[in-house]
């Protein structure tokens, strides 16, 4: 059996992800979610809608194709980091869909989609940020600004509750790190 070495960041993320799930399951976020939602103005503008779209599949798919192309062009194969990103994306989106059904949390604006928890857009943006900040370390800050911006747009549009985006912002890097470790990518 292969021994999986998990670093301190992974362990911290595990505690955070499990904690958010527990708080969500017990309803502990309800008051905070309502307060954040009622405090933030509804900002349904073309700019906010454009920025939120950067967390959708229309951005994720070309990004994934680009990084596969860059690996293939440079090495003639796909790197384990890129494979971890692709697997994290697929497994994560399936998990997000399953959690939406399990929790069946209504959205702040129910007319915009099915269930709220967790945010798929915030997950997509965060998994891209986790991978991009790992692959291009000097641009990590920009990658995470992108992910937080997408998450913020979901709140400003009142499509999601605070806990929805919070969970996704931590779940995506946790899953990416887990899959990197399982694929034997050594920490740098």
């Amino acid at each position: 059996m292969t021994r999986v070495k998990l670093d301190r960041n992974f362990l911290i993320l595990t505690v955070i992800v499990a904690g958010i799930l527990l708080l969500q399951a017990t309803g502990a976020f309800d008051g905070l979610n309502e307060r954040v939602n009622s405090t933030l103005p509804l900002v349904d503008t073309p700019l906010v809608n454009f920025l939120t779209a950067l967390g959708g599949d229309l951005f994720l798919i070309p990004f994934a194709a680009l990084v596969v192309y860059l690996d293939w062009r440079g090495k003639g194969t796909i790197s384990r980091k890129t494979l971890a990103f692709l697997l994290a994306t697929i497994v994560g989106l399936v998990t997000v869909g399953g959690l939406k059904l399990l929790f069946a949390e209504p959205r702040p604006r129910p007319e915009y989609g099915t269930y709220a928890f967790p945010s798929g857009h915030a997950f997509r943006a965060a998994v891209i940020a986790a991978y991009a900040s790992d692959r291009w370390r000097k641009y990590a800050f920009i990658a995470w600004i992108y992910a937080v911006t997408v998450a913020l747009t979901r709140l400003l549009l009142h499509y999601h509750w605070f806990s929805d985006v919070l969970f996704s912002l931590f779940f995506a890097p946790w899953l990416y790190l887990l899959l990197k470790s399982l694929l034997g990518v050594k920490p740098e």
Side-chain angles (χ1 to χ4, degrees), residues 115-179:
Y115 299 124
F117 183 86
S119 169
H121 280 72
F123 172 81
R124 287 177 189 88
V127 79
I128 288 170
Y131 169 76
S133 63
D134 190 26
R135 182 168 179 156
W136 301 290
R137 291 184 189 264
K138 74 181 197 179
Y139 300 110
F141 183 74
I142 294 169
W144 283 106
I145 290 290
Y146 150 74
V148 170
T149 299
V150 169
L152 183 59
T153 66
R154 304 308 284 170
L155 296 174
L156 290 173
L157 288 164
H158 293 244
Y159 290 167
H160 281 284
W161 304 105
F162 175 72
S163 62
D164 305 343
V165 300
L166 183 68
F167 176 79
S168 293
L169 287 173
F170 286 103
F171 175 61
W174 175 84
L175 186 57
Y176 173 68
L177 287 175
L178 175 65
L179 289 168

Side-chain angles (χ1 to χ4, degrees), residues 48-99:
V48 172
N49 281 285
F50 169 76
L51 293 172
T52 209
L54 294 177
D57 290 332
L58 290 177
F59 185 75
L60 173 67
I61 292 168
F63 179 83
L66 174 67
V67 296
V68 167
Y69 168 77
L70 291 174
D71 276 4
W72 200 266
R73 188 187 74 183
K75 302 174 188 136
T77 188
I78 297 172
S79 71
R80 288 185 183 191
K81 276 186 187 180
T82 300
L83 182 58
F85 161 69
L86 296 172
L87 290 173
T89 300
I90 294 165
V91 170
L93 288 173
V94 168
T95 303
V96 163
L99 289 171

